[in-house]
């Protein structure tokens, strides 16, 4: 639904943008452009101001350029012919002595996303790969990935691919990681970037220079590599060792995944790695972020499928807090079922019994179901709890209890 009064607003903005007095005052001109962006964000169709905004590109004010580029990228698909004028302005900005202007021009040139303009974008992107400023190279590398995404059927020139491979050794770590991402996208049909021994060791040696998400990206890509000898395997594990206890859970999880991937032929090494990450994972389960807690519990649940009872002594860390959301409580109860043994079964069942009367019906039913699953191994104790819950005569409790009790009627004879 169009914004009420939109047509009159657009007419006023057009008059202001075309006013010579406004254009001669840089501050007033910038504020008028800011009003256009604000109006656009309110849902008004201001595409009719495209030609006026194209003229506003011709400025040395970086802030004004950013505002204008936001507008042009939003409406370029509606004005493909006028967008050619934008390309000319952007190509000129790619030669600007200010690296911020050059990177801004390259980024927005690829954000126009018009197939008809690809031929005008390739040359500036190629030049950007060799730019002396790292911020420009970062944008140029990702620009080739955007270009490939815009025309997936067309092949990127082999010279460009080779240039991207060479930039894996760029002194800037962000350029290096962006090259990995771009090559993964461009070479998707060929299986992604080719990972060999020199590239693997180069990436691992520079891993500490990358930010959190860069480290995760490198670790994810390296899972395709297989060491050629046992000595090389232990060299790789030594380089990864410090990242297993990273204070950042995403890095720790990505490192563990790579660790398990390359050491799959050495069960003892894999088990040692799992035991080492148990501390950071348990710490993440107590994070102040609900999302982080949920992700950590999910990771632990997956690990327990590979190594049952891995965290058996830490079962109390998975007792539910009163204020925790239901989805975390349900995951924790699933983990408790995996950790049950002869020593802790009484404590776990007593804790789960308390959750059966939770005010949240989903949590209560999940607790009853957890008791039912434990009953496959400890039927007498669980049956006593479930029959006691039937006496509460609450529909959401009794319906689940009856199902689990019925299962025990079939299970108990087979046990005896």
């Amino acid at each position: 639904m169009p914004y009420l009064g939109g047509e009159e607003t657009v007419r006023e903005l057009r008059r202001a943008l075309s006013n010579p007095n406004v254009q001669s005052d840089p501050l007033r001109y910038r504020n008028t452009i800011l009003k256009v962006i604000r109006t656009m964000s309110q849902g008004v169709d201001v595409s009719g101001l495209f030609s006026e905004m194209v003229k506003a590109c011709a400025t040395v004010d970086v802030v004004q350029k950013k505002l204008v580029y936001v507008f042009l990228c939003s409406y370029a698909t509606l004005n493909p012919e006028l967008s050619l004028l934008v390309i000319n302005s952007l190509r000129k900005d790619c030669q600007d002595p200010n690296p911020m202007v050059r990177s801004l021009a390259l980024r927005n040139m690829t954000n126009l996303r018009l197939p008809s303009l690809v031929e005008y974008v390739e040359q500036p992107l190629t030049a950007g790969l060799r730019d002396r400023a790292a911020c420009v190279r970062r944008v140029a590398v990702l620009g080739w990935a955007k270009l490939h995404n815009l025309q997936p059927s067309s092949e990127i020139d082999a010279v460009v691919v080779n240039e991207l491979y060479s930039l894996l050794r760029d002194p800037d770590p962000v350029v290096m990681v962006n090259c990995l991402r771009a090559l993964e996208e461009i070479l998707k049909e060929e299986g992604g970037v080719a990972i060999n021994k020199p590239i693997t060791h180069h990436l691992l040696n520079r891993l500490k220079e990358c930010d959190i998400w860069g480290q995760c990206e490198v670790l994810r890509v390296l899972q395709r590599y297989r060491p050629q000898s046992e000595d090389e395997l232990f060299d790789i594990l030594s380089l990864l060792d410090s990242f297993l206890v990273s204070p950042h859970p995403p890095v720790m999880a990505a490192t563990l995944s790579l660790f398990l991937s390359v050491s799959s032929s050495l069960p003892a090494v894999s088990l040692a790695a799992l035991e080492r990450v148990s501390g950071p994972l348990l710490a993440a389960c107590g994070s102040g972020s609900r999302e982080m807690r949920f992700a950590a519990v999910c990771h632990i649940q997956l690990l327990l499928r590979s190594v049952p009872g891995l965290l058996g002594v830490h079962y109390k860390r998975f007792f539910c807090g009163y204020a925790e959301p239901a989805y975390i409580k349900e995951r924790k109860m699933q983990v408790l079922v995996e950790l049950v043994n002869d020593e802790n079964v009484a404590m776990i069942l007593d804790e789960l019994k308390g959750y059966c009367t939770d005010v949240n019906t989903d949590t209560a039913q999940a607790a009853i179901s957890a008791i039912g699953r434990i009953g496959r191994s400890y039927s007498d104790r669980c049956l006593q709890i479930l029959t006691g819950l039937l006496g509460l005569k609450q529909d959401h409790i009794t319906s689940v209890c009856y199902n689990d009790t019925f299962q025990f009627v079939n299970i108990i004879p087979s046990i005896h």
Side-chain angles (χ1 to χ4, degrees), residues 278-337:
S278 60
L281 275 175
L282 289 170
C285 288
S287 169
S289 167
R290 293 179 174 183
E291 292 77 9
M292 187 65 71
R293 268 181 285 163
F294 180 74
V297 174
C298 288
H299 272 83
I300 288 173
Q301 194 174 8
L302 289 173
L303 292 179
L304 289 175
R305 294 176 185 174
S306 302
V307 189
L310 176 67
L311 301 172
V313 295
H314 301 289
Y315 67 93
K316 290 185 179 180
R317 300 290 292 269
F318 300 97
F319 285 177
C320 303
Y322 177 79
E324 284 185 322
Y327 62 90
I328 293 181
K329 289 182 179 180
E330 290 176 20
R331 284 284 179 172
K332 283 189 171 182
M333 286 186 273
Q334 292 172 13
V335 172
L336 286 173
V337 172

Side-chain angles (χ1 to χ4, degrees), residues 41-240:
S41 67
Q42 292 173 347
V44 178
D45 181 9
V46 289
S47 58
L49 301 175
F50 197 87
S51 58
E52 285 79 8
M53 294 294 280
V54 169
K55 296 175 184 176
C57 283
T59 178
V60 295
D61 186 349
V62 177
V63 176
Q64 182 172 317
K65 280 182 182 292
K66 288 183 178 181
L67 293 171
V68 173
Y69 289 157
V70 168
F71 175 92
L72 296 179
C73 291
S74 299
Y75 290 110
T77 53
L78 300 177
N79 297 272
E81 294 180 0
L82 287 175
S83 296
L84 186 60
L85 300 175
V86 181
I87 282 290
N88 292 332
S89 178
L90 289 170
R91 285 172 65 95
K92 182 179 179 182
D93 284 347
C94 287
Q95 308 296 325
D96 195 276
N98 186 344
M100 290 296 294
V101 174
R102 296 200 300 274
S103 63
L104 183 65
L106 273 180
R107 179 181 293 111
N108 287 280
M109 195 179 291
T110 53
N111 286 346
L112 291 175
R113 304 193 63 77
L114 292 172
S116 60
L117 301 179
V118 167
E119 59 181 307
Y120 301 100
V121 178
E122 290 180 343
Q123 189 276 328
L125 282 179
T126 303
L129 294 177
R130 305 183 184 95
D131 197 280
R132 61 184 180 276
C135 62
V136 180
R137 296 198 300 276
R138 295 174 185 179
V139 174
V141 167
L142 291 180
W144 279 108
K146 293 179 184 178
L147 219 59
H148 177 74
N149 186 261
L150 187 61
Q151 291 186 322
S153 57
S154 63
E155 292 186 4
I156 299 293
D157 191 353
V159 175
V160 174
V161 174
N162 291 334
E163 188 84 23
L164 291 173
Y165 268 111
S166 67
L167 283 174
L168 287 174
R169 298 187 178 275
D170 192 276
D172 184 74
V174 179
V175 174
M176 179 185 75
V177 175
N178 284 359
C179 276
L180 273 181
R181 291 172 176 149
L183 287 169
E184 282 286 280
E185 181 70 25
I186 293 169
L187 304 175
K188 186 184 297 183
E189 294 184 0
E190 302 174 21
V193 60
I195 300 296
N196 53 30
K197 183 176 178 179
I199 289 178
T200 298
H201 287 266
H202 168 71
L203 294 175
L204 286 173
N205 284 318
R206 295 196 58 191
L207 201 55
K208 291 182 179 179
E209 302 173 27
C210 303
D211 58 16
I212 296 172
W213 301 115
Q215 289 177 356
C216 292
E217 183 73 17
V218 171
L219 292 167
R220 181 189 63 79
V221 171
L222 290 181
Q223 289 188 35
R224 296 203 297 269
Y225 182 69
R226 289 294 173 267
Q228 300 170 6
S229 66
E230 191 168 299
D231 289 340
E232 185 189 358
L233 168 62
F234 283 104
D235 287 342
I236 291 174
L237 296 182
S238 297
L239 291 170
L240 291 173

